[in-house]
Amino acid sequence: MSFYNLSSTSSGDLAAIAQITRDAGVNLDDCYQCGKCSAGCPLSDEMDLYPRKVIRMLQLGQVSAVLKSRAPWVCATCMTCTARCPQQIDIDSLMLSVRHAAKRAGLRPVREADIFDDLFMAGVRRYGKSNEALLAARFNLSSGHLFQDVLNAPKMAKRGMIGPSLHKVKDRAAMRRLFGRALRTTEGEKGDGI
Amino acid sequence: MRYAYFPGCSAASTGISFTLSASYVAKRIGLELVEMPDWCCCGTSAALVTSRDLAHALPARSLALAEQAGLDLDVVTPCAGCFSSLKRTVHYARQSDKNRHRLEEIIELPYAATADVMSLLEVMARPEAMEPLAAAITKSLNGLRVASYYGCALVRPQEVTCFDDPEDPQSMDSLMELAGAEPVRWAFKTECCGASHQISEPHGARRLIARVFENAAANGAEAIAVACPLCMLNLDMREAGINESRAVPFDIPVFYFTELLGLAMGGSARRLGIDRHFWPTGKAVRKALAPPPEPSPDNHSTSELPQEVTVA
């Protein structure tokens, strides 16, 4: 049983929660805490807060604990929670919005997930296509997990699954412009739906 | 049958066997795939966790370039991840003109969102493909017990994917049945393989793969069929590693559904890319291709193997 000090919730916390739910297209009041999201989540045993509890804490205004949680970073966006929610709450989208808010606040509760996704996007920004071997190598160097999967590399090379050449788009400058504009667009002027 | 083709980044690398087997099957059934001009990475979940605008803009650029080139065709992609990203973008763009204009501004291209997006599995499970498939299938897969594994991205969320049942999909099972395999009824058809978490968070994610194999084994599967290059890599490449900590190892080869269709059409294991797998496929392929038993009462000569098949 956990206890939360509800009197510590500030209007700033409530504003932060309002932005998260607006970005996610979710109404927290729809959730009556049945727990189906957490029961079906394949990664819940890796989460410090089950999806149900993420929603409950946001309902209670406890945004700072949620922003520090590993849960949205452990989420694999498999969308099982969203598919099964009897209230049609887009929990998957809520997890994404919490992660976006945490990142904006300079938090990264699961370092490896942050490194992997940033490196993935850096590669796409540069080449326009994802080059899996380069991504895996850069991930190992940046994360410090130097020898992860290295024994698979020669096997993959032998099977023609990885090679020395890089896949690229022709118009690489267009990719850089696209990334610049997509990441510059500010919060609060989102389109309709998600 | 003519479609614009979005290969995805894995098509020429980790998903090479999907490309080989899909193009073999496509050619045999008259499915024409026209590669989209200068397509870029769909962004997959890495773009989604970075920014929603980015996750919509990356597919929108490829789709808009196809429109600009006058490629007035619906889009097909073999990869479940690409399918999810592209389909989500079309859904978003069609929700309102405001959304569409927002994307046009980011990608600096007009984008009308006229083309629909489908996965290769969906296209092949349509009646107009099932008919030529049935005609091209010359060998029965001998009742090989195949567990069709759909994963997440093809079936969820259903209001976006508009494809099959999110809990108990049937399209791949139907194709396997058409090829003479016996579809396995099992509970993990749409469970998650862990996707890129197998790299970024292997400690927690490995057990997701183990559970898929465990449920397939518990239901007597002799093979698993997949429709996603990342599901394939996670299952096939990591089966040996998972077995290291198991008293009773799994022994279930993993195939792209197109590889099994190709085998049933008489394609060789090498041509279909089956010789590039990590986990040995020989036993399943031999069973699938064994000549049917003679209808004589004295029947004990069914173990002879076709000589032209060489497998890992």
Side-chain angles (χ1 to χ4, degrees):
Chain A
M1 190 72 179
S2 316
F3 292 90
Y4 302 105
N5 180 3
L6 299 186
S7 53
S8 70
T9 299
S10 70
S11 56
D13 292 340
L14 297 180
I17 291 169
Q19 188 185 340
I20 289 169
T21 55
R22 196 169 52 239
D23 287 351
V26 159
N27 181 357
L28 294 172
D29 295 341
D30 288 341
C31 176
Y32 51 68
Q33 294 285 295
C34 74
K36 200 170 171 87
C37 49
S38 310
C41 175
L43 283 156
S44 59
D45 47 4
E46 293 296 311
M47 293 179 176
D48 50 354
L49 296 177
Y50 286 171
R52 179 194 65 78
K53 203 160 179 184
V54 167
I55 300 180
R56 185 63 184 144
M57 292 183 73
L58 290 175
Q59 286 174 334
L60 294 173
Q62 302 289 300
V63 71
S64 56
V66 167
L67 291 179
K68 286 179 203 143
S69 167
R70 290 170 49 85
W73 302 72
V74 167
C75 168
T77 59
C78 79
M79 297 168 280
T80 304
C81 51
T82 298
R84 293 182 183 167
C85 175
Q87 291 285 84
Q88 286 87 46
I89 300 169
D90 196 342
I91 304 158
D92 169 68
S93 172
L94 182 67
M95 286 292 202
L96 276 178
S97 293
V98 171
R99 181 164 165 174
H100 292 159
K103 177 104 177 168
R104 283 197 301 273
L107 300 163
R108 53 170 188 175
V110 180
R111 180 177 160 268
E112 282 83 359
D114 191 48
I115 291 172
F116 180 86
D117 291 316
D118 278 357
L119 287 174
F120 193 118
M121 282 299 103
V124 176
R125 181 180 182 277
R126 183 160 182 196
Y127 300 112
K129 291 184 184 174
S130 177
N131 290 277
E132 294 135 312
L134 179 70
L135 173 63
R138 291 192 64 195
F139 174 77
N140 284 14
L141 287 173
S142 302
S143 67
H145 303 300
L146 292 179
F147 302 109
Q148 181 175 303
D149 279 331
V150 289
L151 292 177
N152 283 325
K155 295 179 189 167
M156 294 171 94
K158 193 178 146 207
R159 286 163 171 79
M161 296 170 114
I162 55 175
S165 63
L166 288 174
H167 303 293
K168 300 170 196 168
V169 293
K170 290 193 197 88
D171 192 353
R172 290 169 64 185
M175 297 309 301
R176 288 193 293 276
R177 292 198 303 274
L178 182 153
F179 268 74
R181 271 187 307 276
L183 299 178
R184 195 179 53 217
T185 47
T186 51
E187 300 302 324
E189 49 169 273
K190 293 282 171 200
D192 300 330
I194 48 154
Chain B
M1 290 180 290
R2 194 161 181 265
Y3 290 89
Y5 177 57
F6 185 89
C9 297
S10 69
S13 54
T14 52
I16 182 75
S17 304
F18 204 1
T19 306
L20 291 171
S21 55
S23 46
Y24 175 85
V25 174
K27 200 170 174 186
R28 290 286 305 273
I29 64 168
L31 171 63
E32 195 186 340
L33 303 172
V34 187
E35 185 164 337
M36 289 160 69
D38 208 31
W39 57 271
C40 66
C41 173
C42 75
T44 185
S45 58
L48 210 51
V49 299
T50 304
S51 138
R52 286 193 169 87
D53 277 332
L54 185 61
H56 293 134
L58 285 168
R61 176 183 180 272
S62 301
L63 294 164
L65 282 176
E67 283 181 2
Q68 196 181 48
L71 206 58
D72 188 20
L73 297 169
D74 286 338
V75 174
V76 65
T77 178
C79 172
C82 298
F83 165 74
S84 181
S85 306
L86 268 63
K87 191 89 178 182
R88 196 187 305 111
T89 295
V90 173
H91 182 78
Y92 172 82
R94 287 176 179 174
Q95 268 181 323
S96 71
D97 281 342
K98 186 177 153 200
N99 288 0
R100 209 165 45 74
H101 294 319
R102 186 179 179 88
L103 291 178
E104 289 177 326
E105 197 188 310
I106 296 172
I107 64 176
E108 298 176 302
L109 289 165
Y111 175 47
T114 45
D116 282 326
V117 174
M118 271 162 281
S119 71
L120 187 67
L121 174 62
E122 182 176 357
V123 167
M124 289 205 178
R126 290 181 144 200
E128 59 262 42
M130 289 279 257
E131 231 170 83
L133 272 172
I137 288 170
T138 51
K139 301 178 177 185
S140 159
L141 294 183
N142 271 334
L144 182 73
R145 291 180 53 79
V146 177
S148 293
Y149 178 60
Y150 300 75
C152 314
L154 290 173
V155 292
R156 287 188 294 263
Q158 197 180 25
E159 60 271 26
V160 174
T161 61
C162 308
F163 171 66
D164 222 330
D165 187 291
E167 299 287 352
D168 188 14
Q170 298 295 332
S171 43
M172 206 188 318
D173 297 72
S174 310
L175 289 172
M176 293 299 102
E177 201 167 16
L178 190 69
E182 184 190 331
V184 170
R185 281 181 61 84
W186 65 313
F188 272 57
K189 281 181 171 183
T190 63
E191 286 293 316
C192 178
C193 75
S196 64
H197 281 32
Q198 297 300 349
I199 293 175
S200 61
E201 293 163 73
H203 171 74
R206 281 295 192 274
R207 74 188 77 166
L208 271 61
I209 304 173
R211 287 178 199 147
V212 171
F213 279 118
E214 195 165 10
N215 194 253
N219 289 289
E222 295 168 301
I224 293 175
V226 299
C228 170
L230 191 50
C231 294
M232 179 63 163
L233 196 66
N234 281 343
L235 294 175
D236 178 48
M237 188 174 79
R238 304 196 185 281
E239 184 168 0
I242 282 167
N243 279 339
E244 280 170 18
S245 57
R246 286 183 59 83
V248 183
F250 297 120
D251 182 15
I252 305 180
V254 187
F255 295 90
Y256 289 110
F257 75 98
T258 42
E259 291 176 334
L260 292 173
L261 289 176
L263 279 180
M265 293 173 175
S268 73
R270 173 182 273 279
R271 174 95 187 256
L272 297 167
I274 296 174
D275 58 344
R276 295 166 190 252
H277 290 200
F278 283 81
W279 191 259
T281 54
K283 200 162 74 181
V285 172
R286 281 193 296 274
K287 170 168 178 183
L289 297 183
E294 296 291 324
S296 72
D298 180 30
N299 169 24
H300 45 71
S301 60
T302 56
S303 61
E304 209 173 305
L305 305 177
Q307 293 302 305
E308 72 279 10
V309 180
T310 51
V311 290

